[in-house]
């Protein structure tokens, strides 16, 4: 994961990435549950909604963010194309979610995420280097 991103920003940039992930994850979960609670669902709608809900949970946690965000973007494009072929409209939110998902994939999870904790920059403490040790005794 460290190879994908040069930094895991903290402070204001990290908070901005956290807000993007939270907004995206909550919206993905909300729309997925809204579709799943509907009547007489097609198998493709169930699959699309389950992928969106799972991606939303992973994005909320900031776990495997680049892979999850790309999966979410592809799923939202799939949903938008399915809606276009079925009833011609209402796919603007799915296009927006796809663009935001792609953006999160490219920008990374930020410091406030599981990815940031696991793969972010580490500080190594080598102790006080001013002390000299006589190992010849």
């Amino acid at each position: 994961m460290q190879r994908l991103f040069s930094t895991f920003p903290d402070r204001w940039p990290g908070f901005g990435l956290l807000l993007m992930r939270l907004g995206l994850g909550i919206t993905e979960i909300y729309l997925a549950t809204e579709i799943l609670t509907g009547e007489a669902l097609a198998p493709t709608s169930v699959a699309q909604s389950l992928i969106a809900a799972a991606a939303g949970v992973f994005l909320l946690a900031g776990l495997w963010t680049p892979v999850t965000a790309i999966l979410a973007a592809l799923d939202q494009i799939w949903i938008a194309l399915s809606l276009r072929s079925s009833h011609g409209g209402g796919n603007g939110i799915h296009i927006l979610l796809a663009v935001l998902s792609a953006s999160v994939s490219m920008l990374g999870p930020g410091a406030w995420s599981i990815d940031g904790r696991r793969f972010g920059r580490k500080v190594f403490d080598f102790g006080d280097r001013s002390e000299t040790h006589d190992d010849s005794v």
Side-chain angles (χ1 to χ4, degrees), residues 3 17 19-20 22 31 34 39 47-48 51 62 65-66 71 76-77 85-86 94-95 98 101 104 106 122 131 133 136:
R3 292 180 185 164
L17 289 170
L19 287 178
M20 281 182 68
L22 290 176
L31 290 175
E34 191 175 68
E39 302 171 10
Q48 290 168 341
I51 292 170
T65 306
L71 180 67
Q76 291 301 318
I77 290 170
S85 65
S86 64
H94 299 289
I95 303 273
S101 295
V104 167
M106 289 181 240
K122 307 273 191 277
E131 295 179 12
H133 298 287
S136 61

Side-chain angles (χ1 to χ4, degrees), residues 5 8 10 13 17 23 61 67-68 98 101-103 112 121 125 128 130 137:
F5 306 107
F8 286 83
D10 57 357
L17 289 170
V67 175
T68 303
S101 295
S103 299
W112 292 310
R121 300 273 183 210
D125 183 22
D128 189 12
S130 63
V137 180

Side-chain angles (χ1 to χ4, degrees), residues 8 18 21 60-63 65 109-118:
F8 286 83
L18 174 67
R21 283 190 302 107
L60 283 176
L63 181 61
T65 306
W112 292 310
S113 64
I114 293 175
D115 286 343
R117 295 282 181 207
R118 292 182 65 206

Side-chain angles (χ1 to χ4, degrees), residues 17 33 87 94 97 105 111 121:
L17 289 170
T33 55
H87 43 78
H94 299 289
L97 289 174
S105 175
R121 300 273 183 210

